[in-house]
Short mmCIF file of all heavy atoms in Angstrom, two decimals:
data_model
loop_
_atom_site.label_atom_id
_atom_site.label_comp_id
_atom_site.label_asym_id
_atom_site.label_seq_id
_atom_site.Cartn_x
_atom_site.Cartn_y
_atom_site.Cartn_z
N ILE X 47 21.83 31.56 10.49
CA ILE X 47 20.63 30.72 10.48
C ILE X 47 20.48 30.08 9.11
O ILE X 47 20.58 30.74 8.07
CB ILE X 47 19.35 31.50 10.90
CG1 ILE X 47 18.14 30.57 10.89
CG2 ILE X 47 19.12 32.75 10.04
CD1 ILE X 47 16.93 31.12 11.62
N ALA X 48 20.26 28.76 9.11
CA ALA X 48 20.01 28.04 7.86
C ALA X 48 18.51 27.76 7.82
O ALA X 48 17.71 28.68 7.77
CB ALA X 48 20.86 26.78 7.82
N GLY X 49 18.09 26.50 7.95
CA GLY X 49 16.66 26.20 7.93
C GLY X 49 15.94 26.64 9.20
O GLY X 49 14.73 26.86 9.21
N GLY X 50 16.69 26.74 10.29
CA GLY X 50 16.11 27.23 11.55
C GLY X 50 15.41 26.17 12.40
O GLY X 50 14.96 26.46 13.50
N THR X 51 15.32 24.92 11.90
CA THR X 51 14.51 23.93 12.61
C THR X 51 15.12 23.53 13.96
O THR X 51 14.39 23.09 14.85
CB THR X 51 14.30 22.66 11.75
OG1 THR X 51 15.57 22.19 11.31
CG2 THR X 51 13.43 22.95 10.54
N ASP X 52 16.42 23.66 14.12
CA ASP X 52 17.03 23.44 15.43
C ASP X 52 17.23 24.78 16.15
O ASP X 52 16.89 24.93 17.32
CB ASP X 52 18.40 22.76 15.30
CG ASP X 52 18.28 21.27 14.97
OD1 ASP X 52 17.45 20.59 15.61
OD2 ASP X 52 19.00 20.80 14.08
N LEU X 53 17.79 25.74 15.42
CA LEU X 53 18.16 27.02 16.03
C LEU X 53 16.97 27.71 16.73
O LEU X 53 17.08 28.17 17.86
CB LEU X 53 18.75 27.96 14.97
CG LEU X 53 19.21 29.31 15.53
CD1 LEU X 53 20.55 29.16 16.23
CD2 LEU X 53 19.31 30.36 14.44
N LEU X 54 15.82 27.75 16.04
CA LEU X 54 14.71 28.53 16.60
C LEU X 54 14.11 27.87 17.84
O LEU X 54 13.53 28.55 18.68
CB LEU X 54 13.65 28.79 15.53
CG LEU X 54 14.15 29.74 14.43
CD1 LEU X 54 13.13 29.88 13.33
CD2 LEU X 54 14.48 31.11 15.02
N ILE X 55 14.27 26.55 17.94
CA ILE X 55 13.79 25.88 19.15
C ILE X 55 14.65 26.32 20.34
O ILE X 55 14.16 26.56 21.43
CB ILE X 55 13.82 24.35 18.95
CG1 ILE X 55 12.80 23.97 17.87
CG2 ILE X 55 13.53 23.61 20.25
CD1 ILE X 55 12.88 22.53 17.42
N ASN X 56 15.95 26.47 20.09
CA ASN X 56 16.85 26.95 21.14
C ASN X 56 16.61 28.42 21.46
O ASN X 56 16.58 28.81 22.62
CB ASN X 56 18.31 26.74 20.73
CG ASN X 56 18.65 25.26 20.62
OD1 ASN X 56 18.03 24.42 21.28
ND2 ASN X 56 19.60 24.92 19.76
N VAL X 57 16.41 29.23 20.42
CA VAL X 57 16.21 30.68 20.63
C VAL X 57 14.95 30.93 21.46
O VAL X 57 14.91 31.79 22.32
CB VAL X 57 16.12 31.41 19.26
CG1 VAL X 57 15.63 32.84 19.43
CG2 VAL X 57 17.48 31.39 18.56
N ARG X 58 13.93 30.11 21.21
CA ARG X 58 12.66 30.25 21.91
C ARG X 58 12.85 30.12 23.42
O ARG X 58 12.14 30.76 24.21
CB ARG X 58 11.74 29.14 21.39
CG ARG X 58 10.36 29.09 21.95
CD ARG X 58 9.63 27.95 21.24
NE ARG X 58 8.24 27.87 21.69
CZ ARG X 58 7.83 27.02 22.61
NH1 ARG X 58 8.68 26.20 23.19
NH2 ARG X 58 6.56 26.99 22.97
N ARG X 59 13.81 29.29 23.84
CA ARG X 59 14.01 29.04 25.26
C ARG X 59 14.80 30.14 25.95
O ARG X 59 14.91 30.17 27.16
CB ARG X 59 14.79 27.72 25.44
CG ARG X 59 14.04 26.51 24.94
CD ARG X 59 14.69 25.24 25.49
NE ARG X 59 14.02 24.05 24.98
CZ ARG X 59 14.57 23.20 24.11
NH1 ARG X 59 15.81 23.38 23.70
NH2 ARG X 59 13.89 22.15 23.70
N LEU X 60 15.41 31.04 25.15
CA LEU X 60 16.29 32.05 25.74
C LEU X 60 15.50 33.25 26.26
O LEU X 60 14.47 33.61 25.71
CB LEU X 60 17.30 32.53 24.69
CG LEU X 60 18.24 31.47 24.11
CD1 LEU X 60 19.06 32.08 22.96
CD2 LEU X 60 19.16 30.91 25.18
N ALA X 61 16.03 33.88 27.30
CA ALA X 61 15.46 35.14 27.79
C ALA X 61 15.69 36.19 26.71
O ALA X 61 16.68 36.10 25.97
CB ALA X 61 16.16 35.54 29.08
N PRO X 62 14.79 37.20 26.62
CA PRO X 62 14.91 38.19 25.54
C PRO X 62 16.32 38.77 25.42
O PRO X 62 16.84 38.92 24.31
CB PRO X 62 13.90 39.27 25.93
CG PRO X 62 12.88 38.53 26.73
CD PRO X 62 13.60 37.43 27.44
N ALA X 63 16.96 39.06 26.54
CA ALA X 63 18.30 39.67 26.48
C ALA X 63 19.35 38.73 25.90
O ALA X 63 20.39 39.18 25.43
CB ALA X 63 18.72 40.12 27.87
N ASP X 64 19.08 37.42 25.97
CA ASP X 64 20.06 36.45 25.49
C ASP X 64 19.82 36.03 24.03
O ASP X 64 20.61 35.28 23.46
CB ASP X 64 20.04 35.18 26.36
CG ASP X 64 20.42 35.48 27.79
OD1 ASP X 64 21.22 36.43 27.98
OD2 ASP X 64 19.93 34.81 28.71
N LYS X 65 18.72 36.48 23.46
CA LYS X 65 18.42 36.07 22.08
C LYS X 65 19.45 36.72 21.14
O LYS X 65 19.99 37.77 21.46
CB LYS X 65 16.99 36.49 21.70
CG LYS X 65 15.92 35.67 22.42
CD LYS X 65 14.54 35.98 21.88
CE LYS X 65 13.41 35.51 22.78
NZ LYS X 65 13.13 34.08 22.73
N PRO X 66 19.71 36.07 19.99
CA PRO X 66 20.69 36.64 19.07
C PRO X 66 20.30 38.07 18.67
O PRO X 66 19.12 38.36 18.48
CB PRO X 66 20.62 35.73 17.84
CG PRO X 66 19.93 34.50 18.29
CD PRO X 66 19.08 34.85 19.47
N ALA X 67 21.29 38.94 18.57
CA ALA X 67 21.03 40.33 18.20
C ALA X 67 21.41 40.58 16.74
O ALA X 67 20.94 41.51 16.12
CB ALA X 67 21.78 41.28 19.11
N GLN X 68 22.33 39.76 16.24
CA GLN X 68 22.79 39.97 14.86
C GLN X 68 22.73 38.63 14.14
O GLN X 68 23.40 37.69 14.54
CB GLN X 68 24.23 40.49 14.87
CG GLN X 68 24.36 41.76 15.72
CD GLN X 68 25.56 42.60 15.34
OE1 GLN X 68 26.51 42.10 14.75
NE2 GLN X 68 25.51 43.88 15.66
N MET X 69 21.92 38.57 13.11
CA MET X 69 21.73 37.29 12.44
C MET X 69 22.01 37.40 10.95
O MET X 69 21.74 38.42 10.32
CB MET X 69 20.31 36.77 12.68
CG MET X 69 20.03 36.49 14.16
SD MET X 69 18.36 35.85 14.42
CE MET X 69 18.61 34.12 14.08
N VAL X 70 22.54 36.31 10.43
CA VAL X 70 22.85 36.23 9.01
C VAL X 70 22.13 35.01 8.43
O VAL X 70 22.29 33.90 8.94
CB VAL X 70 24.37 36.09 8.78
CG1 VAL X 70 24.68 35.93 7.29
CG2 VAL X 70 25.12 37.29 9.35
N ASP X 71 21.33 35.25 7.41
CA ASP X 71 20.53 34.17 6.80
C ASP X 71 21.30 33.52 5.65
O ASP X 71 21.72 34.20 4.72
CB ASP X 71 19.21 34.76 6.28
CG ASP X 71 18.29 33.70 5.71
OD1 ASP X 71 18.53 32.50 5.96
OD2 ASP X 71 17.31 34.07 5.03
N LEU X 72 21.48 32.21 5.76
CA LEU X 72 22.19 31.47 4.70
C LEU X 72 21.23 30.82 3.73
O LEU X 72 21.66 30.30 2.69
CB LEU X 72 23.03 30.32 5.30
CG LEU X 72 23.82 30.51 6.58
CD1 LEU X 72 24.61 29.24 6.88
CD2 LEU X 72 24.74 31.68 6.44
N SER X 73 19.94 30.81 4.06
CA SER X 73 19.01 29.92 3.35
C SER X 73 18.76 30.31 1.90
O SER X 73 18.17 29.54 1.15
CB SER X 73 17.69 29.79 4.12
OG SER X 73 17.00 31.02 4.10
N LEU X 74 19.18 31.52 1.50
CA LEU X 74 18.91 31.94 0.12
C LEU X 74 20.14 31.86 -0.78
O LEU X 74 20.08 32.26 -1.94
CB LEU X 74 18.34 33.37 0.10
CG LEU X 74 17.04 33.59 0.88
CD1 LEU X 74 16.63 35.05 0.81
CD2 LEU X 74 15.92 32.71 0.36
N VAL X 75 21.25 31.37 -0.25
CA VAL X 75 22.49 31.34 -1.05
C VAL X 75 22.43 30.15 -2.01
O VAL X 75 22.66 29.01 -1.63
CB VAL X 75 23.75 31.24 -0.15
CG1 VAL X 75 25.02 31.32 -1.00
CG2 VAL X 75 23.74 32.35 0.90
N GLU X 76 22.10 30.44 -3.26
CA GLU X 76 21.90 29.37 -4.25
C GLU X 76 23.16 28.52 -4.46
O GLU X 76 23.09 27.33 -4.68
CB GLU X 76 21.44 29.94 -5.60
CG GLU X 76 20.00 30.44 -5.62
CD GLU X 76 18.97 29.36 -5.29
OE1 GLU X 76 19.15 28.20 -5.73
OE2 GLU X 76 18.00 29.68 -4.56
N GLU X 77 24.34 29.19 -4.39
CA GLU X 77 25.60 28.44 -4.60
C GLU X 77 25.77 27.30 -3.61
O GLU X 77 26.58 26.40 -3.84
CB GLU X 77 26.80 29.38 -4.38
CG GLU X 77 27.04 30.39 -5.44
CD GLU X 77 27.88 31.55 -4.88
OE1 GLU X 77 27.27 32.48 -4.30
OE2 GLU X 77 29.11 31.51 -5.00
N LEU X 78 25.07 27.36 -2.49
CA LEU X 78 25.24 26.32 -1.47
C LEU X 78 24.15 25.25 -1.57
O LEU X 78 23.96 24.47 -0.66
CB LEU X 78 25.23 26.95 -0.06
CG LEU X 78 26.26 28.06 0.19
CD1 LEU X 78 26.20 28.53 1.64
CD2 LEU X 78 27.68 27.58 -0.14
N LYS X 79 23.42 25.25 -2.69
CA LYS X 79 22.32 24.28 -2.82
C LYS X 79 22.55 23.29 -3.94
O LYS X 79 21.61 22.63 -4.39
CB LYS X 79 21.00 25.03 -3.07
CG LYS X 79 20.60 25.93 -1.91
CD LYS X 79 19.28 26.61 -2.20
CE LYS X 79 18.95 27.59 -1.08
NZ LYS X 79 17.70 28.30 -1.34
N ASN X 80 23.79 23.22 -4.43
CA ASN X 80 24.06 22.33 -5.56
C ASN X 80 24.50 20.94 -5.11
O ASN X 80 25.14 20.80 -4.09
CB ASN X 80 25.15 22.92 -6.45
CG ASN X 80 24.73 24.25 -7.02
OD1 ASN X 80 23.57 24.42 -7.38
ND2 ASN X 80 25.65 25.19 -7.08
#
Side-chain angles (χ1 to χ4, degrees):
Chain X
I47 181 165
T51 53
D52 285 315
L53 182 78
L54 291 175
I55 294 171
N56 295 333
V57 168
R58 181 178 183 261
R59 296 195 182 111
L60 299 173
D64 298 330
K65 289 188 196 283
Q68 305 203 338
M69 297 181 84
V70 177
D71 183 15
L72 319 184
S73 68
L74 301 178
V75 184
E76 287 300 322
E77 287 159 274
L78 305 183
K79 297 181 185 179
N80 298 322

